[in-house]
Amino acid sequence: MSGEHSAETLLTLAELRPSAVKLLTRTDGGKPDGEPLTEFTSQVLSLGTPGLVAAGVLNASACALLAEEMGRQGRTVVAVLSRVVPWRHEGGVAINAILSAYVAHNPRQALTWIEREVTEGRAEGLARGFGERLIFCVESAGLLGGRSSDEVVAAYLEAFFDGLGA
């Protein structure tokens, strides 16, 4: 898996790992505005565009996990995400475009969308939206697979980060 990503992305993912782990193993009752989501958002933003790229890669992997559980392709998961009413806003559309590019194996297009969001002053919404969708995809995969959230989160985090060598 590490051959798919640049050295910069791999290093950024390693830096993002602690807040991603905290986000997915949160103990705040799953509040959407809880401290782990805020911490994840802040960490992504502090890493700049590479942080947003890494968060996008993490999300694309979570989409793949959910797609596998659904017996579908990643683009189906992105289509499902686009139907979540609270995420139907300009930033949500951009996130869906970014995830669509990643699941189509087009990271250059994903970067173009990310850079546009940064230029237009929407980086914070992008980072937060990536955190929300990460939770949704990983936890939904557990629900569909009849496994506990803790079990799926642990397996996902281990497979993703250990697969990267991060």
Side-chain angles (χ1 to χ4, degrees):
M1 184 177 219
S2 62
E4 298 175 25
H5 307 294
S6 71
E8 180 181 33
T9 300
L10 293 173
L11 289 171
T12 306
L13 281 164
E15 289 183 59
L16 194 55
R17 183 179 187 163
S19 28
V21 169
K22 187 173 181 181
L23 177 67
L24 290 173
T25 59
R26 67 197 188 286
T27 57
D28 64 354
K31 297 177 191 168
D33 59 348
E35 186 253 324
L37 180 56
T38 300
E39 182 180 313
F40 178 82
T41 301
S42 295
Q43 180 69 30
V44 169
L45 290 172
S46 75
L47 296 168
T49 299
L52 291 165
V53 168
V57 167
L58 194 58
N59 269 259
S61 173
C63 286
L65 173 72
L66 182 53
E68 182 179 326
E69 201 60 59
M70 293 170 65
R72 303 285 184 197
Q73 295 180 341
R75 65 179 181 240
T76 301
V77 172
V78 176
V80 168
L81 293 174
S82 74
R83 303 307 186 263
V84 177
V85 173
W87 292 340
R88 286 184 173 186
H89 51 75
E90 193 170 5
V93 171
I95 290 171
N96 288 342
I98 292 163
L99 294 177
S100 291
Y102 276 122
V103 300
H105 306 287
N106 191 347
R108 287 180 191 246
Q109 182 60 50
L111 178 60
T112 299
W113 280 103
I114 289 169
E115 289 173 338
R116 180 180 147 224
E117 291 302 291
V118 170
T119 300
E120 294 184 9
R122 293 192 293 260
E124 184 173 355
L126 189 58
R128 183 177 189 82
F130 279 146
E132 292 169 347
R133 285 154 183 82
L134 183 61
I135 294 167
F136 177 86
C137 287
V138 175
E139 290 188 355
S140 295
L143 289 170
L144 288 171
R147 296 174 287 162
S148 76
S149 179
D150 291 345
E151 177 186 345
V152 173
V153 164
Y156 169 75
L157 289 169
E158 181 179 338
F160 181 81
F161 285 108
D162 290 352
L164 293 172

